[in-house]
Amino acid sequence: MNTTILTELKAEAKDLNFLYGQVHALKDINLPIERRKVTALIGPSGCGKTTFLRCFNRMHDLYPHNRYKGEIILYPDNVNIISPEIDPIEVRMQISMVFQKPNPFPKTIYENVAYGLRVRGTKKKQVIDERVEKSLRGAALWDEVKDRLHNLAFDLSGGQQQRLCIARALATDPRILLFDEPTSALDPIATSKIEELIIELKNEVTIIIVTHNMQQAARISDYTAFMYIGEIVEYDRTEKIFTAPSSKLTEDYITGRFG
Amino acid sequence: MPVRSAELEHLKETILKMAMTVEAAIKDSVRSLVERDSDLARRVVEEDRKINTLDVQVDEECIRLLALKQPMGKDLRFITTAMKITTDLERIADNAVNIAERALELNEEPLLKPYIDIPRMSRIAQGMVRDTIDAFINEDKQLSKDVIMRDDEIDELNETVLKELMFIMTQDPTTVSRAVKISYISKYLERIADHATNIAETVIYMVDGKIIRHMLPEQI
């Protein structure tokens, strides 16, 4: 594995293993996550990329018989976020996830974004108003919804709903944003808006994205990790992975001669 | 979406066809000079149209694959290499046309001297073009390196030819017009070898993903 120039790490997986009961889904994963960069995880279905992404905000804790081994260190705190002593709720406040299909709450646009703040105990209306506006602006949605903040979120189009979910994720000021195929349910125009947004967001936050669309990974990520059967086969600068990867397996995958 | 291997094969075949036509053009252009065969020289000029058509065909096919298949990795390197190769092949053919045009002019005048080094340069240049295309088809890095090394032979022969022609010109000013034309031909062959070298360098990029243009031979 060629990690080339390391700038500043936001997180790092160290000998990470994950088991669904008896199924060994992730095997000795070592991966740096660069601060304020976009890291893409690519690989065929079932390779473990979503499983890996979900480790970052402890989604697996929701189900019994799941086991983590190894570490995911969050910097600069040097905290192992998968350690049982760490509260998963606190992890999810700092590391938010945007899913494949937009999943707004059955509430107003405003309340969707305010939700995380209220859970956190923020009560002042002015503070919440400001955060809601900032988050909606951050998700490039403010201009489209500022006059109808109290309409139901379901009134929005698919692409707008997805940006609302991004605004909701941004509201708690996360340190890492996780995207699990965030545009697979969107049309090309909504997709390109989300892609532009992701590129802008990296000025503020570190991003990890799982995508099946290799062109998308090539367009928006700085680093790419290719995974296969629960392992990282190759990790490098995105440009390198998509023009001249080191591994034959990566080459076969990105040229579509595979599986 | 993957590029189908049939599409890549088709591209390879078109380039191979173009390379064979180009190689024949070099051979015939020099033959038209050595054998003073002006009909052959005119055919070389005519044949250039075919090469131009193939050049456009390859470009169109590459652009189509880039737009529709958005190839990556090795396929991307193959297609961008194909585009560069045809540009060089087309330029080589233009040089062959230049040789044929000078041959047409020279064939109208008395023979200055028997051609010895020019056919030699032509054989080396043809071999370089042939091998560099073989290297492309077979992804053969070593053969590409061999071609790059051969460029020096042509450069040296070109120097020798120029010196000899300059000597002839200083001895007898009535030879100047013919000697200058022959020196052009020598230069055209030297340019052909340079284009073959470019192709060889591009092939190394295709195989390795490493750009070696502008490097010294010992760095390659």
Side-chain angles (χ1 to χ4, degrees), chain B:
Chain B
M1 195 194 303
V3 183
R4 284 183 300 118
S5 37
E7 291 171 312
L8 296 178
E9 284 306 315
H10 179 252
L11 203 51
K12 271 188 190 178
E13 278 166 24
T14 315
I15 290 174
L16 193 60
K17 193 167 152 198
M18 185 172 171
M20 284 162 70
T21 319
V22 168
E23 198 191 319
I26 307 170
K27 189 178 166 196
D28 290 343
S29 66
V30 173
R31 233 183 77 203
S32 75
L33 173 80
V34 176
E35 297 176 8
R36 299 175 74 78
D37 182 345
S38 291
D39 285 340
L40 185 58
R42 278 186 282 271
R43 275 210 295 282
V44 172
V45 179
E46 277 290 301
E47 287 283 291
D48 191 47
R49 275 200 225 139
K50 276 190 198 163
I51 292 163
N52 292 345
T53 308
L54 287 168
D55 176 39
V56 172
Q57 260 178 33
V58 171
D59 256 19
E60 282 175 348
E61 179 62 6
C62 288
I63 290 166
R64 190 184 73 82
L65 291 175
L66 288 173
L68 301 185
K69 305 298 174 97
Q70 294 149 25
M72 287 177 166
K74 206 173 171 186
D75 292 346
L76 177 66
R77 302 203 303 275
F78 177 85
I79 291 166
T80 51
T81 299
M83 291 181 89
K84 287 194 162 201
I85 285 182
T86 52
T87 305
D88 277 307
L89 283 176
E90 196 272 330
R91 298 262 167 83
I92 291 175
D94 288 345
N95 277 291
V97 167
N98 290 340
I99 295 173
E101 285 168 352
R102 295 297 84 70
L104 283 171
E105 293 158 9
L106 284 161
N107 292 351
E108 298 298 314
E109 297 183 66
L111 188 65
L112 180 68
K113 66 177 265 314
Y115 300 108
I116 297 162
D117 286 329
I118 297 277
R120 198 177 286 161
M121 288 173 81
S122 169
R123 276 194 298 276
I124 298 171
Q126 285 167 52
M128 286 172 77
V129 173
R130 185 165 52 243
D131 287 348
T132 198
I133 296 301
D134 277 353
F136 169 68
I137 302 289
N138 302 316
E139 298 172 22
D140 186 339
K141 206 167 82 181
Q142 191 51 50
L143 189 55
S144 293
K145 286 184 182 173
D146 289 351
V147 170
I148 294 169
M149 294 305 167
R150 265 181 266 167
D151 190 39
D152 287 344
E153 288 178 52
I154 293 251
D155 289 345
E156 279 165 27
L157 280 168
N158 180 40
E159 288 295 318
T160 312
V161 170
L162 291 185
K163 273 183 198 152
E164 194 190 353
L165 290 169
M166 260 187 284
F167 177 75
I168 294 173
M169 285 188 271
T170 52
Q171 297 298 304
D172 175 4
T174 65
T175 62
V176 169
S177 153
R178 283 170 290 164
V180 167
K181 281 169 191 162
I182 297 168
S183 77
Y184 282 164
I185 290 175
S186 175
K187 186 66 192 166
Y188 298 144
L189 288 166
E190 191 264 333
R191 289 300 299 150
I192 288 175
D194 286 346
H195 286 297
T197 305
N198 288 349
I199 296 176
E201 287 168 349
T202 317
V203 169
I204 291 180
Y205 168 73
M206 179 184 82
V207 178
D208 264 2
K210 201 173 108 190
I211 294 174
I212 58 145
R213 285 201 310 278
H214 318 300
M215 277 187 187
L216 296 169
E218 53 271 24
Q219 293 174 299
I220 296 169

Side-chain angles (χ1 to χ4, degrees), chain A residues 39-55:
Chain A
T39 301
L41 305 175
I42 61 165
S45 299
C47 72
K49 52 193 190 301
T50 296
T51 301
F52 182 34
L53 191 75
R54 289 170 171 221
C55 290

